[in-house]
């Protein structure tokens, strides 16, 4: 298979991931923003890493990436019901807080051990995720900002997306809108224009700006005639009437 063909296949797969993520995001209410960052955006980061070719830069990064995958699994581990014993071969936790703290330690270890790798930047991003999940918004904001300014545009754009979501979830609407607009004006492979537009439209909905939301959904319809996005935009518009 020719190199350019393989690259196109990766790009097509990645496009499906980002569009799917955007559609899922628009369906969720503001209460689920942290969960979105943990689940959907994690898939975007991993896809972006594979597409960009910087996930395995050297032997150190390979070791770090393995530890990162373990930490992400911790972040996605099951929460077992109260009184239910843990199963030896199935990682689980008694609460989301306990799970977040365990993952946080793993991510911090990666940052400390592999500070000069790209994977350490990804660990920093997920450290922000765990802080947001635990309600520590100030720490999450600091971590997201650190990643957003690290120079790698793919991971930086994902951090900005998470930061905008955090702002929207904490009534900092003006800051959130500014970041979404930046992502719309400067899309990347990991955060497409439509992804940022759909999240901004949702923010307009939840912040009682239906006219702005309607205007943006109409623009999304115009720019993205594909059946899935078109159906989603029409559904959201019908709910605004």
């Amino acid at each position: 298979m020719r190199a350019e063909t393989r690259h196109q296949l990766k790009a097509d797969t990645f496009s499906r991931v980002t569009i799917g993520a955007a559609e899922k995001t628009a369906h969720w209410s503001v209460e689920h923003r942290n969960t979105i960052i943990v689940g959907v955006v994690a898939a975007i980061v991993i896809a972006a890493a594979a597409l960009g070719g910087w996930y395995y830069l050297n032997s150190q990064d390979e070791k770090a990436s393995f530890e990162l995958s373990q930490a992400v699994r911790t972040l996605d581990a099951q929460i077992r019901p109260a009184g239910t014993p843990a199963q030896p071969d199935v990682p689980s936790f008694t609460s989301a807080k306990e799970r977040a703290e365990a993952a946080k330690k793993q991510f911090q270890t990666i940052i400390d051990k592999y500070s000069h790798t790209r994977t350490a930047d990804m660990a920093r991003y997920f450290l922000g995720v765990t802080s947001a999940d635990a309600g520590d918004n100030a720490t999450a904001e600091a971590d997201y900002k650190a990643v957003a300014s690290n120079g790698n545009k793919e991971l930086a754009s994902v951090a900005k997306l998470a930061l905008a979501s955090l702002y929207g979830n904490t009534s900092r609407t003006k800051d959130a809108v500014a970041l979404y607009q930046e992502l719309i004006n400067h899309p990347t492979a990991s955060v497409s224009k439509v992804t940022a537009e759909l999240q901004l439209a949702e923010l307009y909905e939840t912040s009682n700006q239906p006219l702005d939301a309607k205007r943006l959904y109409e623009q999304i319809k115009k720019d993205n005639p594909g059946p899935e996005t078109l159906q989603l935009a029409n559904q959201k518009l019908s709910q605004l009437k």
Side-chain angles (χ1 to χ4, degrees):
M1 185 181 293
R2 295 174 62 187
E4 56 266 32
T5 302
R6 289 196 299 270
H7 178 78
Q8 185 61 50
L9 288 173
K10 288 182 179 180
D12 291 344
T13 300
F14 182 78
S15 295
R16 290 194 295 272
V17 171
T18 54
I19 291 296
E23 291 167 355
K24 292 176 184 177
T25 297
H27 277 298
W28 286 42
S29 64
V30 67
E31 291 82 6
H32 297 91
R33 289 183 186 275
N34 286 341
T35 306
I36 292 170
I37 300 304
V38 173
V40 178
V41 178
I44 296 175
V45 173
I46 293 171
L51 185 65
W54 45 260
Y55 193 59
Y56 294 102
L57 287 179
N58 51 48
S59 60
Q60 282 293 97
D61 223 9
E62 288 180 14
K63 295 175 183 177
S65 66
F66 174 76
E67 293 186 27
L68 180 70
S69 69
Q70 299 297 108
V72 171
R73 288 193 184 97
T74 298
L75 201 59
D76 198 40
Q78 295 179 354
I79 303 297
R80 62 181 184 272
T84 302
Q87 299 182 31
D89 300 327
V90 181
S92 63
F93 297 90
T94 59
S95 67
K97 181 178 180 180
E98 181 187 28
R99 180 178 63 187
E101 287 299 321
K104 187 175 181 179
K105 291 179 181 178
Q106 290 176 286
F107 291 126
Q108 188 61 58
T109 296
I110 294 168
I111 294 169
D112 294 339
K113 287 173 63 177
Y114 309 104
S115 59
H116 299 297
T117 66
R118 296 294 190 187
T119 305
D121 293 332
M122 295 178 71
R124 175 72 66 186
Y125 165 79
F126 281 108
L127 196 60
V129 170
T130 60
S131 295
D133 197 43
D136 186 356
N137 294 324
T139 300
E141 179 179 357
D143 286 328
Y144 290 149
K145 283 183 174 179
V147 177
S149 62
N150 77 346
N152 182 286
K153 69 175 184 178
E154 298 299 336
L155 186 55
S157 64
V158 174
K160 289 176 183 178
L161 189 73
L163 184 58
S165 181
L166 179 67
Y167 286 155
N169 201 31
T170 54
S171 301
R172 295 172 63 178
T173 305
K174 184 177 179 180
D175 292 332
V177 170
L179 268 179
Y180 284 133
Q181 289 290 1
E182 179 183 343
L183 291 166
I184 290 168
N185 294 333
H186 303 284
T188 64
S190 53
V191 179
S192 65
K193 180 180 179 181
V194 68
T195 298
E197 286 178 327
L198 285 168
Q199 286 215 30
L200 177 55
E202 184 194 9
L203 175 65
Y204 284 144
E205 286 187 75
T206 58
S207 57
N208 298 315
Q209 300 179 67
L211 294 179
D212 288 323
K214 182 177 180 181
R215 171 186 56 77
L216 191 49
Y217 284 128
E218 291 288 3
Q219 188 63 46
I220 291 169
K221 284 178 57 178
K222 180 180 178 181
D223 296 341
N224 303 274
E228 293 181 344
T229 305
L230 188 62
Q231 180 182 4
L232 175 61
N234 283 330
Q235 178 184 343
K236 301 298 289 187
L237 283 167
S238 68
Q239 295 171 357
L240 288 170
K241 292 181 179 178

